[in-house]
Amino acid sequence: MLIGGEGVFYYHLVNVLLHVIVTSLFTYMCLDILRWSTEAAATAGLLFASHPVHTEAVSSIVGRAELLSGMFFFLSFITFCKWKRKDNVPGQSFLLPASSVITAWLALMAKEQGVTVLTVSLCYHLQTVCTRKRERSRKEVPKWPGVDRYTLTILLVLNVLVGFRVWLLNGSLPQFSDQDNPAAFSKSLFTRVLTYSYLTAFNLGLLLYPATLSYDWQMGSIPLVESIWDLRNLVTILTFFGIAMIIWFVTSSSQNGETKLLTIGLATCVFPFLPASNLLVTVGFVVAERVLYIPSAGFFVLVVHGLHKLKSTKYTWSCRVLTLVIVTTFMLKTARRNTVWSSRESLFRSGLESVPQNAKIHYNFANLQKDLGDVDLAVKHYRIAISLWPDHASAHNNLGTLLHDSTEAEHHFRTAISINPLHARAYFNLANLYSKQDKIQIADTFLKRAIEVDPDFAEAYSSLASLRAQIGRIKEAEELHLTALRLNPVNVDALNNYGVFLQGLDRSDDALSYYRRALVLQPNHTVALVNAAKTLRSLKFVDDAESLYKRALKVQNDPQVLDNLGVLYIKSRRFLAAKEVFLTLINQYSHYQDGKMHYAQLLMQERSFKEAENVLLSAIKRNDTFRDAYHQLAVLYTNTNRSAEGLVHILQAISLCSSCDHTCAQLYVCHGDIAKELDALTTAAQSYDLALQIDPNIAHAHLNLGVIHHLQGRYTEALKHYRLAQNLDPNNLVVLENLKKLKKQVLKSSLQDRIGDNHVCQTW
C-alpha cells in the first residue's frame, strides 16, 4: 500500500514472491528432511509451483493468508527437524525450538490451519521414535512411545496456541448460513456424514485432476449425498481405502526412509486439511481451492514417491516424460486460470461456465451487471439465482431494486424480509418504494424498522430525515440528517441528502459545502455534482455550474445532466447552446420526456409556438400521463389566445395530481390564471385558494387572488393578499401599484360614506 498505492500490481507481486518462497522451502524440505535427490525434489517443487489449484491462493489478494501460513508452516517444520537433528550441539538447544514455536504461532496468526504444523511435527517425531525402537530389537513389537520432552513440548505449545486462538474469538465460533454450507444444516446425520466424506474425496480429485475449477463452490454446486446408492460413494470408499493403505504401510514397513517420507507426506496432506473438512468445526464453505495450498505439498510428496518407485531402468525415461507432460499441462492450465482472476467480470463468467448450477455465482454476476448498468442482464441472472435458490434473500432484494413494476418489486422486498426478518436493506428499499408512491406513513414505519435492525444504518436515517422534512418536521429532519453523518461521516449519499435538505431551506452556501465534501470523497458522484451545479446556478455562479455539469457528463452521459445543462443555458439566455444540448438529448434519449418539455419552453421563449406545440404533443402521445407536458401545453395555448384549449389541458394535468404533491400548487395557479382570463373569477379564486393551501408562499397566487377580491369589493381580503404578495416579492411593481389603487379606493369609499352620513343628518 505504501509503495504501490491502491494499484493491485504490487499486491500480486508480493503474492507471487511469497509463492516462490513457499515453493523453495518445500523443495528444501524434500532435499534436507526427506533426503531426496535433486531431481526428485525439483520434480515435487515444480508440481507444487505449477498446480492450477493454487491459482486462487496466489492470484487472489485474500489468498495471501494461505501463502503466509504456508511459509511459516514449512519454516516451523524445518526448524523442528533441525532441532531434533542438532539437539546435542552446544548453543542450539534453545534457538531452534524457539524458532519452531514462534513460526508455528505466526502460521496460526496467518491462517488457523497453520497450527497443524505441530501435529505434523508430532507425527514425524513419533515415527522416528518408533523406528529407533524397532531397529534396537527387530523381534519386539514396537510400543507406543512414552511422553518425552519433544512430545510434551509439542502438546503444550499446541494447547496454548489453540487456546489463544479461541480467546481471540471470545470463546465463540463464527456463525454461517445454509447458503454457505448446506450440508451443515441438513437434519439427517446420515446425509451430513456421506456428504462430508464425499467432499474429502472431491478435494483429492481437484489435486489429481484439476480440470474444473471455480472461485466458489457454494449454493448447489455440489448436491448433497443423501442416499447410500449414490455412485459418488464409490469415490469416497476408494479415497479412504487409499489413505488406510498408506497408514498400514507406514506402521508395518521396516524401511526407515520410506516410513518417514510417507508419514510426513500423509500428515502434511491430512492434518492441514482437517480444519476445512467440517469434522472439527463447521466452516463457511463447501469447497475452497485455496485451503488445499498446504495439503497439496503432502500430496505431492506421496505422488513423487510413487513415481520414484516406478523408476526402474525400464521406466525411468517414461516417468520423466510423464512428469514433464504433467508439469507442462499444469503450467498451461495455471496460465489460463490466471486470466480468469484478471477482473471481476472474467472471474464471474468463468464461474458460470464451471458451475452453472451455483446460485451465488449468478447472484454475483447480476451484481456486477447492475454496477455496469446492464439492468436487463442483471435481472435475468437474479431470476436464475432465485430459481436455483428460492430462499436467497439478497437476490430477491436486489432484483426488487431493478424492477419497473412496483407491485412485483414490493413482492420481492417482502419475500426477502420473510426469508430474513433482519434484512435491513430490504426494509429500506421497501420504504423507498412506498415513499415514491406517497405512502409516507408506511414508508416511515419501514425506515424505523430498518434502523431497529441496524442502528448504524446511516442511509436509513438520511431517508427518514427526507420523509420528515417532506411533512414539515424540519427540526426533527435535521437531527436525523446529522445522526446519519455522525454514524458515517464519509457516506457521500448522506452528505448529498443533507445538502439537498439545506438547499430546501435556502441555506445554499451550507448546502454547497456538503456537496463539495461529498465530491472530495467521491469525485465522480454524479448526483452530488448535479446538485452542486444547481446550487451554484441559484447563486448566479453560472460558469462554475456549467463546469460541474460538464464534469458529470464526462463521468456518465446521463440524460438528466444534459437536461439540467440545457436549463442552465436557457436561464442564462444562451439559447443557441441550449438548443444544441436539447437536440442532442432528444436524439440520444428519445424516451427522456423532461428534456422535450424544457425544449418546448425554449421554443416558446423564441416564439416558435407551433414547433413547441408539436414537441409537447409528441411527448404526450408517448406518455399520456406526462403531467408537466399538459401544463406547458396549457401555458402555450393561453399565450396564443387559445385559453379554452388551455383550460382542457390544465384540467387534465390537475387530474394527474396526488393529494400530497406540493408541485401541484403551480397547476392550480395556472388553472386560476386561465379561469381569470375567461372571466370566471369565482372559479379562479377557488383555484388560487387551493394552490395556497398546498403552498402558502406563491406570490403570484396571492396577487391575483387579491385582484379578484379587489374587483369584487372585498377590500379587507384584497389588502391581506396584496400584503402577503408584497412580503414574498417586495419589488413587484404590480403589487405596489395595486396597493396604491386599493388604498385610494378604500379612502374614497370612506369619504363617500362620511358624506352620505352628513346628508342623512341634514335631512333629519
Side-chain angles (χ1 to χ4, degrees):
M1 183 72 177
L2 293 175
I3 298 174
E6 295 183 357
V8 298
F9 173 78
Y10 287 98
Y11 287 96
H12 290 299
L13 178 62
V14 170
N15 274 19
V16 171
L17 292 176
L18 286 172
H19 184 50
V20 170
I21 293 171
V22 176
T23 303
S24 301
L25 289 171
F26 172 58
T27 306
Y28 177 78
M29 183 195 78
C30 293
L31 283 169
D32 189 64
I33 309 302
L34 301 182
R35 303 294 184 181
W36 277 0
S37 65
T38 303
E39 181 183 344
T43 300
L46 283 171
L47 289 170
F48 181 83
S50 62
H51 200 289
V53 83
H54 294 163
T55 311
E56 181 178 0
V58 181
S59 295
S60 169
I61 303 301
V62 178
R64 185 170 298 176
E66 271 71 29
L67 300 173
L68 288 171
S69 183
M71 180 177 71
F72 292 123
F73 182 99
F74 287 114
L75 283 172
S76 179
F77 182 66
I78 290 169
T79 50
F80 175 80
C81 294
K82 288 185 176 293
W83 175 34
K84 282 183 60 66
R85 188 186 303 169
K86 299 181 179 181
D87 192 25
N88 297 321
V89 177
Q92 297 288 337
S93 59
F94 176 76
L95 181 61
L96 287 172
S99 299
S100 182
V101 170
I102 291 171
T103 47
W105 174 70
L106 291 172
L108 168 68
M109 295 303 294
K111 186 82 172 181
E112 288 83 353
Q113 68 182 143
V115 77
T116 58
V117 67
L118 296 172
T119 59
V120 176
S121 298
L122 181 61
C123 288
Y124 170 68
H125 167 63
L126 294 177
Q127 180 272 326
T128 57
V129 172
C130 287
T131 301
R132 287 173 187 168
K133 288 192 174 186
R134 186 180 299 157
E135 288 175 349
R136 288 175 190 165
S137 178
R138 298 270 181 190
K139 296 180 180 179
E140 295 181 9
V141 177
K143 299 178 181 178
W144 186 260
V147 180
D148 56 21
R149 61 196 179 105
Y150 292 105
T151 305
L152 186 62
T153 301
I154 292 171
L155 292 176
L156 178 63
V157 172
L158 180 62
N159 279 280
V160 169
L161 292 184
V162 171
F164 173 72
R165 189 67 185 92
V166 173
W167 174 76
L168 288 179
L169 292 170
N170 295 318
S172 63
L173 294 173
Q175 299 297 313
F176 304 106
S177 68
D178 59 339
Q179 298 176 3
D180 302 316
N181 190 346
F185 288 83
S186 174
K187 296 180 180 179
S188 169
L189 175 63
F190 184 69
T191 297
R192 293 200 300 274
V193 170
L194 289 181
T195 302
Y196 289 151
S197 300
Y198 171 71
L199 290 178
T200 300
F202 185 88
N203 279 279
L204 180 61
L206 291 178
L207 294 175
L208 281 169
Y209 186 63
T212 301
L213 298 174
S214 175
Y215 77 94
D216 188 275
W217 291 94
Q218 298 179 4
M219 287 192 176
S221 297
I222 303 175
L224 300 180
V225 182
E226 299 177 300
S227 169
I228 196 171
W229 305 112
D230 193 315
L231 293 178
R232 290 176 292 174
N233 290 318
L234 294 175
V235 180
T236 303
I237 293 170
L238 289 173
T239 299
F240 284 97
F241 176 76
I243 294 172
M245 289 299 295
I246 295 173
I247 294 173
W248 174 81
F249 193 83
V250 168
T251 56
S252 62
S253 176
S254 60
Q255 300 180 31
N256 179 28
E258 190 165 34
T259 56
K260 178 174 71 172
L261 183 152
L262 293 175
T263 299
I264 293 174
L266 188 62
T268 306
C269 190
V270 172
F271 287 111
F273 177 73
L274 281 178
S277 67
N278 286 283
L279 295 177
L280 302 177
V281 294
T282 301
V283 296
F285 52 83
V286 179
V287 171
E289 294 165 15
R290 62 185 180 277
V291 302
L292 295 175
Y293 189 73
I294 297 175
S296 67
F299 171 78
F300 290 126
V301 168
L302 299 175
V303 167
V304 173
H305 176 64
L307 289 171
H308 182 71
K309 295 279 284 186
L310 290 173
K311 278 188 179 182
S312 62
T313 305
K314 185 177 179 180
Y315 297 109
T316 298
W317 282 103
S318 298
C319 288
R320 285 174 177 168
V321 171
L322 177 62
T323 302
L324 180 61
V325 169
I326 293 173
V327 170
T328 303
T329 304
F330 281 178
M331 290 173 64
L332 293 173
K333 177 72 174 178
T334 299
R336 183 181 176 189
R337 188 72 186 153
N338 275 329
T339 62
V340 164
W341 287 85
S342 61
S343 67
R344 283 176 67 200
E345 184 164 14
S346 61
L347 183 65
F348 294 159
R349 286 191 182 278
S350 74
L352 293 177
E353 294 173 4
S354 301
V355 279
Q357 70 275 24
N358 185 323
K360 184 178 177 182
I361 287 179
H362 286 280
Y363 170 75
N364 288 340
F365 186 71
N367 286 341
L368 171 66
Q369 297 309 313
K370 179 183 176 183
D371 293 342
L372 295 175
D374 193 338
V375 174
D376 292 338
L377 193 56
V379 167
K380 173 185 175 181
H381 283 275
Y382 280 134
R383 293 192 189 281
I384 294 173
I386 291 170
S387 68
L388 292 169
W389 199 276
D391 289 341
H392 198 316
S394 293
H396 282 286
N397 174 67
N398 290 6
L399 175 59
T401 63
L402 299 180
L403 295 173
H404 298 296
D405 185 341
S406 59
T407 303
E408 187 182 0
E410 180 183 0
H411 163 73
H412 284 288
F413 292 142
R414 288 189 174 276
T415 302
I417 292 169
S418 66
I419 295 169
N420 180 9
L422 300 180
H423 202 303
R425 182 64 65 172
Y427 288 111
F428 174 76
N429 289 330
L430 189 58
N432 286 339
L433 179 68
Y434 286 132
S435 177
K436 291 175 183 177
Q437 297 171 349
D438 293 323
K439 298 177 180 178
I440 306 300
Q441 190 57 49
I442 303 176
D444 190 283
T445 301
F446 279 107
L447 283 174
K448 287 190 288 187
R449 178 58 180 151
I451 291 169
E452 287 175 10
V453 172
D454 182 2
D456 296 328
F457 196 171
E459 290 172 79
Y461 284 99
S462 184
S463 292
L464 186 59
S466 299
L467 280 186
R468 297 290 165 84
Q470 191 173 337
I471 58 177
R473 295 160 68 175
I474 303 301
K475 185 177 180 181
E476 190 177 346
E478 184 156 18
E479 289 175 356
L480 287 166
H481 275 303
L482 293 174
T483 300
L485 291 173
R486 186 169 57 252
L487 289 170
N488 191 352
V490 296
N491 187 306
V492 290
D493 290 326
L495 288 166
N496 174 74
N497 291 347
Y498 188 42
V500 172
F501 171 78
L502 294 173
Q503 182 70 30
L505 299 178
D506 291 327
R507 293 162 58 184
S508 299
D509 291 333
D510 292 336
L512 190 59
S513 70
Y514 279 93
Y515 294 142
R516 283 173 171 161
R517 281 174 59 183
L519 292 172
V520 168
L521 294 167
Q522 190 174 328
N524 293 337
H525 194 286
T526 53
V527 177
L529 281 168
V530 170
N531 286 336
K534 288 180 180 177
T535 306
L536 287 167
R537 186 183 74 191
S538 69
L539 295 172
K540 310 301 182 185
F541 295 110
V542 176
D543 292 340
D544 292 336
E546 180 185 4
S547 176
L548 285 182
Y549 281 134
K550 289 182 176 179
R551 180 174 152 191
L553 288 171
K554 287 181 181 178
V555 176
Q556 183 181 357
N557 193 25
D558 187 276
Q560 186 176 3
V561 181
L562 277 169
D563 188 25
N564 279 287
L565 180 59
V567 171
L568 173 70
Y569 287 145
I570 292 176
K571 291 184 179 295
S572 58
R573 306 195 66 79
R574 295 162 64 183
F575 296 140
L576 287 177
K579 193 166 189 176
E580 183 180 345
V581 169
F582 284 123
L583 289 175
T584 301
L585 173 60
I586 292 170
N587 289 332
Q588 291 183 359
Y589 304 97
S590 58
H591 65 280
Y592 188 76
Q593 301 301 301
D594 286 346
K596 293 180 180 179
M597 182 192 69
H598 292 137
Y599 181 47
Q601 289 176 329
L602 170 63
L603 293 170
M604 288 166 64
Q605 289 195 41
E606 293 181 333
R607 306 194 65 77
S608 300
F609 296 116
K610 187 62 180 176
E611 189 178 352
E613 180 182 4
N614 291 336
V615 170
L616 291 170
L617 288 173
S618 70
I620 291 172
K621 184 177 181 181
R622 188 180 183 94
N623 179 9
D624 60 2
T625 61
F626 188 13
R627 192 182 70 194
D628 290 340
Y630 286 110
H631 180 198
Q632 289 304 317
L633 203 53
V635 172
L636 184 150
Y637 287 145
T638 303
N639 291 339
T640 54
N641 299 318
R642 297 159 65 184
S643 298
E645 292 178 71
L647 183 62
V648 172
H649 286 86
I650 197 62
L651 289 173
Q652 181 65 33
I654 289 172
S655 70
L656 296 170
C657 272
S658 64
S659 57
C660 301
D661 194 341
H662 279 58
T663 62
C664 290
Q666 291 296 338
L667 299 182
Y668 286 109
V669 171
C670 182
H671 179 256
D673 291 345
I674 295 173
K676 180 170 168 286
E677 185 75 21
L678 295 171
D679 290 326
L681 297 184
T682 302
T683 302
Q686 291 172 350
S687 289
Y688 290 134
D689 274 327
L690 286 170
L692 292 172
Q693 287 175 25
I694 298 171
D695 184 358
N697 297 320
I698 304 176
H700 179 75
H702 282 294
L703 170 60
N704 282 1
L705 193 55
V707 168
I708 293 172
H709 288 311
H710 191 165
L711 292 173
Q712 294 178 343
R714 293 190 292 272
Y715 298 142
T716 304
E717 287 294 314
L719 181 61
K720 181 183 78 172
H721 285 289
Y722 282 151
R723 284 177 174 170
L724 287 171
Q726 185 183 26
N727 290 336
L728 293 167
D729 189 3
N731 300 318
N732 191 313
L733 296 177
V734 176
V735 175
L736 296 174
E737 186 67 28
N738 284 2
L739 274 171
K740 287 181 183 179
K741 290 179 180 178
L742 179 62
K743 287 177 181 178
K744 287 180 180 179
Q745 199 152 3
V746 169
L747 180 60
K748 181 179 178 181
S749 177
S750 177
L751 289 172
Q752 288 176 344
D753 289 343
R754 288 179 185 177
I755 292 170
D757 290 342
N758 290 336
H759 178 70
V760 169
C761 290
Q762 288 173 1
T763 304
W764 179 260

